[in-house]
Amino acid sequence: LETLLKELLYLQKYKSFSIVFSGNGPSGICLSYLLSGYTPYFKRHSLHPHPILQRKLEEAPEVSVLDQDLEYLSEGLEGRSHSPVALLFDTLQRPDSDFGGTAESVLTWWHEPDRAIPHLVLGRNAPGGAWHSIEGSMVTLSRGEWMGLPDLPFKEWLKQKRRGLRNNRATAEDIAQYYQHYVMKKGLQKNFRCGTVVTSVRKVSAESISNHTQKDLQEDRDSLWNSKEKSTEVFQVDGFFKTMEGDKEPFSIHAENVVLATGTYDNPTWLGVKGENLSYVHHQLSALEKAVKNNSVGIMSDPVLIVGAGLTAADAILFAHHCNIPVIHVFRRRVTDPALIFNQLPKMMYPEYHKVHQMMKEQTAACAGPYEHYISFPEHHVLSFGKDKKCIFQDKNGCQKAYKISMALVLTGSNPNLSFLPNDGIDLAMDSEQPVNPKRNPIDVDPFTYECTQEKGLYALGPLAGDNFVRFVQGGALAVASSLLKKANKNPP
């Protein structure tokens, strides 16, 4: 309770910030680092394998990367992201990792506290965001070193724990711990407010905010109220703290700029079929883990139905297989569909996902294969869930089948929860008539600043802006930090 009171007093004293972020995952952590005065420069005498980029970096080595023309630096770069700045920052930190190289970062980091911008990072969980909600033993899709943040290589941190990477990959528990450690090690914790839920982000006129608030802030030199060019509109961010007792303590703060970095983990996609709201139908993998712990499913129970053909569905199949739990696996695509994630992963690097793909191919209802307790139904979709735990699904020819199941896991992806924005943020999307979706319809942002094209002062990072991998969300943070430093005139002359 004492900590909570301190938090509330802190927010009441500094009711106005230059920037507030909603979301404290890797995007938010990286941006907080860059806004805390940590500044990247090209490391003298280092050699980047990309000769044109090397030549550009040599043109002004005394100027921080944050203050350079990001469009110019990133021109001509190619890689696994559509974002030019994401490719730029990634190749500066990991120069040739896509080709299996181990070249060191060509960046050196200087702490320049006078360039720091006051900001708050609001998040539901501890720093690391959704990584704290994922089953700890799950292995990351990306290589372990790609999960690292600037100036603290993940491999080095893991070495201190006297452990190595398993098949070059890391567990979710390791990643969550690393992000928490990063925030402490870099001294960022003063910017983080965990256990907070944002309920509303709205533009309000600066004049409408009470005079006594302005009076309270007279001493704060960096306050937006004292800036020479007063903004006529600011963002009002409302929400609440969750107390240890489960109560909700409301807060309301104002900011010139707001960064959305909420990710997409909170809001699983529903199929929209009859009976999907029944108690045995779940939309998160954690429900299966809980059921195994409670002994409510096991080797003798009716099969668990798993719907979906992405990596979360594969993780659920591996978990069930490990526990000898019978599985019925239903998915819409054919097994050879090139868009299926398993057809895009190198077999050597992802042996367990390759195994799931083999099961999907070889153990269909039509032909028995070598895998016990598992049947796959490619090109099928669920029609309904019954109160008697009977599930009906249908194949592409309209033929229906009914199975008795113990529980269902619908794992078909997730969408961002943007209910705190006007119209659920739909007006900000590339297609402003459809909900925001990280793969099909991200928020429309300027590629070199990540500022929303429809709302000045509002920025979007990570999956909301279409960057779905940790290694690439960091370029978005670089773009936002560069833009905010220009706005705050914190660039050196």
Side-chain angles (χ1 to χ4, degrees):
L1 189 65
E2 191 184 332
T3 312
L4 180 72
L5 286 170
K6 278 183 191 165
E7 300 262 314
L8 287 168
L9 286 168
Y10 182 91
L11 282 184
Q12 279 160 10
K13 186 180 175 192
Y14 301 108
K15 265 200 166 180
S16 136
F17 281 81
S18 296
I19 303 104
V20 171
F21 320 173
S22 183
N24 65 358
S27 307
I29 297 171
C30 185
L31 182 53
S32 179
Y33 180 68
L34 292 164
L35 294 180
S36 297
Y38 290 96
T39 311
Y41 290 87
F42 175 56
K43 199 191 291 175
R44 299 288 175 110
H45 311 303
S46 55
L47 199 60
H48 196 283
H50 193 296
I52 297 170
L53 180 58
Q54 173 73 17
R55 207 160 54 242
K56 289 177 183 176
L57 292 165
E58 284 171 349
E59 285 169 14
E62 71 292 343
V63 179
S64 159
V65 174
L66 279 169
D67 303 320
Q68 294 198 38
D69 181 341
L70 298 180
E71 185 170 359
Y72 171 65
L73 285 181
S74 58
E75 197 179 13
L77 295 177
E78 292 177 353
R80 300 183 189 184
S81 170
H82 299 300
S83 160
V85 187
L87 290 172
L88 170 67
F89 201 36
D90 183 63
T91 193
L92 293 173
Q93 294 192 92
R94 289 171 280 269
D96 56 358
S97 62
D98 272 344
F99 306 103
T102 53
E104 274 189 24
S105 167
V106 298
L107 296 177
T108 182
W109 292 86
W110 291 84
H111 191 208
E112 300 171 348
D114 56 320
R115 299 193 70 192
I117 296 179
H119 62 277
L120 263 188
V121 188
L122 307 177
R124 290 170 187 257
N125 299 314
W131 287 95
H132 293 280
S133 310
I134 299 168
E135 162 62 24
S137 61
M138 290 297 169
V139 179
T140 60
L141 172 65
S142 296
R143 295 169 69 97
E145 62 262 36
W146 292 351
M147 308 304 292
L149 295 175
D151 204 29
L152 181 63
F154 179 73
K155 258 186 174 170
E156 273 180 31
W157 175 81
L158 209 55
K159 254 186 223 157
Q160 289 166 5
K161 299 192 78 174
R162 294 185 168 79
R163 283 218 305 288
L165 291 167
R166 195 167 99 211
N167 198 28
N168 278 328
R169 284 148 72 216
T171 66
E173 184 182 10
D174 283 336
I175 298 298
Q177 284 181 14
Y178 164 78
Y179 291 144
Q180 274 189 285
H181 173 80
Y182 186 93
V183 167
M184 297 298 285
K185 174 95 175 164
K186 301 296 185 185
L188 309 179
Q189 62 272 31
K190 63 184 179 299
N191 305 318
F192 282 71
R193 296 289 166 273
C194 303
T196 55
V197 175
V198 171
T199 55
S200 167
V201 175
R202 297 281 186 283
K203 270 259 176 93
V204 294
S205 74
E207 291 75 36
S208 71
I209 301 161
S210 62
N211 290 328
H212 77 264
T213 305
Q214 297 184 38
K215 226 182 292 168
D216 291 347
L217 290 158
Q218 287 302 302
E219 297 163 30
D220 182 5
R221 283 181 296 114
D222 282 323
S223 155
L224 61 91
W225 312 109
N226 302 326
S227 61
K228 282 174 189 148
E229 294 175 30
K230 283 191 185 176
S231 171
T232 53
E233 284 193 310
V234 292
F235 290 98
Q236 180 168 315
V237 181
D238 296 313
F240 59 84
F241 285 107
K242 288 180 282 188
T243 68
M244 298 294 279
E245 293 77 29
D247 297 328
K248 294 176 180 178
E249 289 284 350
F251 67 81
S252 185
I253 46 183
H254 300 102
E256 280 182 323
N257 301 284
V258 170
V259 180
L260 305 174
T262 51
T264 63
Y265 191 77
D266 298 340
N267 208 14
T269 310
W270 282 47
L271 299 172
V273 299
K274 189 183 167 198
E276 196 171 0
N277 56 350
L278 291 167
S279 61
Y280 70 92
V281 182
H282 304 273
H283 296 82
Q284 283 182 323
L285 175 52
S286 53
L288 179 59
E289 292 147 14
K290 208 187 238 176
V292 168
K293 274 182 192 153
N294 300 343
N295 292 321
S296 53
V297 294
I299 192 165
M300 301 306 289
S301 58
D302 286 326
V304 169
L305 172 69
I306 294 172
V307 183
L311 297 173
T312 310
D315 285 337
I317 290 160
L318 289 166
F319 185 77
H321 192 64
H322 177 70
C323 300
N324 292 318
I325 292 164
V327 166
I328 291 172
H329 183 198
V330 170
F331 49 98
R332 284 176 176 267
R333 295 184 187 275
R334 61 182 202 282
V335 186
T336 52
D337 189 327
L340 203 67
I341 185 73
F342 307 103
N343 292 317
Q344 301 167 23
L345 297 176
K347 288 177 190 176
M348 294 296 288
M349 196 167 158
Y350 302 100
E352 74 281 42
Y353 289 138
H354 176 57
K355 180 183 176 181
V356 171
H357 196 208
Q358 287 294 109
M359 290 163 73
M360 288 161 69
K361 273 192 248 183
E362 296 173 20
Q363 191 93 3
T364 61
C367 56
Y371 304 101
E372 275 189 279
H373 312 306
Y374 172 89
I375 310 172
S376 83
F377 287 90
E379 298 182 271
H380 281 66
H381 64 274
V382 174
L383 288 181
S384 67
F385 297 102
K387 286 181 181 166
D388 54 357
K389 291 196 176 180
K390 266 195 182 146
C391 174
I392 298 170
F393 36 92
Q394 181 173 299
D395 69 13
K396 59 179 179 176
N397 302 317
C399 179
Q400 294 183 11
K401 305 172 178 71
Y403 276 83
K404 183 98 163 48
I405 59 174
S406 58
M407 68 186 291
L409 292 169
V410 176
L411 303 171
T412 51
S414 56
N415 288 307
N417 179 2
L418 297 176
S419 58
F420 55 87
L421 291 174
N423 196 23
D424 290 335
I426 290 174
D427 307 329
L428 304 173
M430 300 279 269
D431 176 352
S432 58
E433 292 182 6
Q434 297 294 323
V436 174
N437 178 282
K439 291 191 174 77
R440 293 183 295 280
N441 192 31
I443 289 177
D444 190 7
V445 296
D446 179 293
F448 301 102
T449 65
Y450 278 62
E451 191 167 18
C452 298
T453 52
Q454 302 301 327
E455 185 69 88
K456 295 302 162 212
L458 191 65
Y459 293 80
L461 272 182
L464 295 180
D467 293 334
N468 292 296
F469 290 98
V470 169
R471 63 184 284 204
F472 294 128
V473 304
Q474 299 173 50
L478 179 79
V480 173
S482 174
S483 169
L484 291 169
L485 283 160
K486 285 186 181 80
K487 281 186 182 181
N489 286 327
K490 294 247 181 182
N491 300 57

